[in-house]
Amino acid sequence: MDSLRAEADALEAEIKALRRACVELPAPGEDTSPVRQSFQDIYQSDSEGWESLKDLRSHLGHVESELQFLSSLTGISIRNYSKKTEDLTSTEMTEKNIKKVLQRHRLSGSCHMITFQLEFQILEIQNKENLSSVITDLSIIMEPTEYSELSEFVSRTEERRDLFMFFRSLHFFVEWCEYRKRTFKHFKEKYPETVHLAKGASSSYMGIRSHSRPEFELVIVWRIQIDEEGKVLPRLDLLTKAPLSALELDKNRVIETAPLSFRTLLGVLGIEATLESLIKSLCTEEQVPTQ
């Protein structure tokens, strides 16, 4: 055992000597001390780089998981993003310890079936006490859709330069569109002979007509509105189509007051129960599905 330890110690001493000789051996006509120092700096920075890279990968993984969670929660998915920064700090600002930076952002993404592109600028001004940021320009491009309500909303958002309102309102707008689609599809499948969707489940209106009285029809117009503050609200209206003879016989003005009664019923029963009651009112007993 002692002989092996002695041999190991001798080898270790020899290795140390060789290392020292390699480091201290100068190249012809050159001072190798700067090279040695550079090599040491590179080695240290490389080790630190690997450590920071590991941290960066961990951070990126965390960010990606958060983005996936937000995407599943809001339905908003960002596909491409780029950023450019321009330093606008003048000499006078530098002397006053003020920094002025303009950021140009560009991104594209989608919210379920609606795609969009955003370009906006953020001006940052920083001094010793605080940092202020303001959106100075906002441009929104949306792919052509059948949702005409979005055009006015986009123009209003660009004017206000309100990114938060854009994403929030777009999310709730799409949620209401999906709910309207599911509701229309449900009633079409449940009452296929009575419910008519001219443009399929994505239509904004639904016709209700029975075979026994084809001349009489109820039309539900379901709009999704976005108000000045970005609040998304559904608006349902009832239109009636009846022959002149039926209107003349309607002494109690039931057909005339039907739209107002419909809105009152919405407030009491809600959307689905109200539509169900209207459909049943035009269905014959044979057409109403058994529960």
Side-chain angles (χ1 to χ4, degrees):
M1 181 69 66
D2 292 340
S3 61
L4 290 174
R5 181 174 295 276
E7 184 176 358
D9 291 341
L11 288 173
E12 184 177 352
E14 184 177 357
I15 290 171
K16 288 182 178 179
L18 288 172
R19 282 180 176 173
R20 185 167 53 253
C22 289
V23 172
E24 294 176 354
L25 182 63
E30 292 185 0
D31 181 10
T32 61
S33 57
V35 178
R36 293 198 305 271
Q37 185 62 43
S38 297
F39 176 78
Q40 293 173 357
D41 293 341
I42 292 173
Y43 176 79
Q44 292 175 357
S45 63
D46 184 60
S47 300
E48 295 171 357
W50 278 106
E51 184 177 358
S52 62
L53 181 59
K54 187 183 297 182
D55 294 339
L56 179 60
R57 286 176 175 172
S58 175
H59 178 67
L60 285 176
H62 178 67
V63 171
E64 286 178 352
S65 63
E66 286 189 339
L67 286 175
Q68 290 176 357
F69 171 75
L70 289 174
S71 179
S72 62
L73 184 66
T74 64
I76 296 175
S77 177
I78 304 301
R79 293 194 305 269
N80 297 300
Y81 171 74
S82 63
K83 171 186 173 182
K84 293 183 179 180
T85 303
E86 180 180 357
D87 192 349
L88 302 180
T89 308
S90 63
T91 304
E92 183 179 355
M93 288 180 173
T94 303
E95 294 174 352
K96 296 180 180 180
N97 291 322
I98 298 175
K99 189 175 182 180
K100 188 176 182 181
V101 176
L102 181 65
Q103 299 178 1
R104 293 184 175 89
H105 302 262
R106 176 180 295 179
L107 62 87
S108 63
S110 62
C111 184
H112 292 284
M113 65 288 189
I114 298 177
T115 59
F116 57 82
Q117 297 179 33
L118 298 181
E119 294 183 9
F120 57 96
Q121 297 181 357
I122 298 179
L123 180 63
E124 288 188 349
I125 301 179
Q126 183 177 10
N127 54 31
K128 291 182 178 180
E129 299 178 354
N130 55 34
L131 171 66
S132 63
S133 301
V134 60
I135 298 177
T136 60
D137 184 62
L138 173 62
S139 175
I140 303 173
I141 302 173
M142 304 195 74
E143 297 295 331
T145 68
E146 66 271 22
Y147 306 107
S148 57
E149 304 94 333
L150 288 176
S151 299
E152 184 179 349
F153 164 67
V154 167
S155 299
R156 189 163 60 245
T157 304
E158 289 179 331
E159 182 179 348
R160 293 189 177 188
R161 301 190 295 274
D162 193 335
L163 275 175
F164 176 73
M165 184 176 75
F166 171 76
F167 286 112
R168 180 193 60 190
S169 301
L170 182 61
H171 163 69
F172 286 110
F173 179 85
V174 172
E175 286 289 310
W176 273 108
C177 288
E178 290 294 312
Y179 175 62
R180 178 179 63 186
K181 183 177 179 179
R182 291 194 304 269
T183 304
F184 281 173
K185 182 180 179 182
H186 163 73
F187 286 118
K188 177 61 178 176
E189 293 176 349
K190 189 174 182 180
Y191 304 97
E193 301 299 326
T194 305
V195 172
H196 302 275
L197 300 173
K199 297 182 179 180
S202 299
S203 178
S204 60
Y205 59 92
M206 178 178 72
I208 306 172
R209 185 172 62 249
S210 70
H211 283 290
S212 60
R213 289 169 286 179
E215 73 283 356
F216 189 85
E217 183 179 11
L218 300 178
V219 179
I220 308 298
V221 181
W222 188 341
R223 301 182 182 90
I224 301 171
Q225 299 179 333
I226 306 176
D227 66 12
E228 292 291 329
E229 301 303 320
K231 189 175 182 179
V232 182
L233 298 169
R235 179 181 175 85
L236 284 80
D237 293 297
L238 174 65
L239 303 179
T240 59
K241 293 182 181 180
L244 182 59
S245 58
L247 294 174
E248 292 174 348
L249 294 173
D250 186 16
K251 303 302 181 181
N252 294 326
R253 301 171 56 223
V254 174
I255 299 176
E256 182 182 344
T257 59
L260 182 59
S261 300
F262 172 73
R263 297 194 64 80
T264 302
L265 202 59
L266 280 173
V268 176
L269 300 179
I271 294 176
E272 293 184 34
T274 299
L275 297 182
E276 183 94 36
S277 65
L278 286 177
I279 295 171
K280 287 183 176 181
S281 69
L282 288 184
C283 284
T284 63
E285 293 184 1
E286 293 79 8
Q287 290 174 314
V288 177
T290 58
Q291 300 299 326

